[in-house]
Amino acid sequence: MTPHVTITIDGANIRAAKGSSVLDAALGYGICIPHLCHLQYVSDIGACRLCIVEHADNGRSKITTSCTLLVKEGMVIWSHTEKIRKLRRNIAELLVAEAPNSRAIQDIAVRCGVKEVRYPFRNNDCVLCGRCVRACTGHYGVKAIGFVGRGKDRRVDSPFGVRSELCRQCGTCLDVCPMTIVPCSGPMKRGQERLCGQCEAKMPFAEKTPGFCVACDLGEGFQCVRSS
């Protein structure tokens, strides 16, 4: 039998499997913590930073990504404080500016309360979330793609820019990529990027209770792993 621990998230006492992440515990209980780079069954790296939470550590409040934070007995977590919501909203806004043609990111921005984008649009086709790399490496054990370069030159590519013989052409990297799901109205042309906002009408209840999962359609864009 898998040992369990009891933690508190936003005032709710939750039993979670020992060794699981705070994010998985929250989603399993029905508490919505927005996330993008998280994938089931592979190791998390906290790349997108959307799933940040506050937790008490030696009497001090710390902010960290819930996907990389493992549960401990008696742990106290706050996932939707005003500080967290403000930081998360800014992260989501930056992601929309980076890749406005991703419906997954547009959906997350609405879920995080983004009303406008104050940053210049870059219209990139990758936000370096690492979902494709970890699916290829962690789930299938194949290292056909990976991160190359540093800083602004960092990107996902095959070794030496040549398709690896290890690639099975299974298409999993495309299936998990948030950039393959375009906005409902179709791709935006360069210079016409904007915050879509078409799904905003679906979220009035979520705005009133941001931590409560409303089983919204927005999960379609980024494969939310919330348990039913």
Side-chain angles (χ1 to χ4, degrees), residues 148-168:
V148 297
R150 295 182 179 180
K152 64 182 180 63
D153 296 322
R154 190 167 176 79
R155 66 189 187 280
V156 174
D157 204 346
S158 55
F160 306 106
V162 179
R163 188 174 71 83
S164 173
E165 294 180 355
L166 298 174
C167 178
R168 302 175 180 176

Side-chain angles (χ1 to χ4, degrees), residues 129-193:
C129 67
R131 289 170 66 102
C132 57
V133 174
R134 288 177 293 127
C136 183
T137 303
H139 190 64
Y140 288 100
V142 178
K143 297 182 179 180
I145 55 176
F147 288 112
V148 297
R150 295 182 179 180
K152 64 182 180 63
D153 296 322
R154 190 167 176 79
R155 66 189 187 280
V156 174
D157 204 346
S158 55
F160 306 106
V162 179
R163 188 174 71 83
S164 173
E165 294 180 355
L166 298 174
C167 178
R168 302 175 180 176
Q169 301 187 53
C170 63
T172 300
C173 53
L174 294 176
D175 291 339
V176 301
C177 177
M179 297 305 301
T180 59
I181 307 172
V182 299
C184 302
S185 56
M188 303 175 192
K189 295 181 180 179
R190 189 169 294 276
Q192 299 179 5
E193 301 92 343

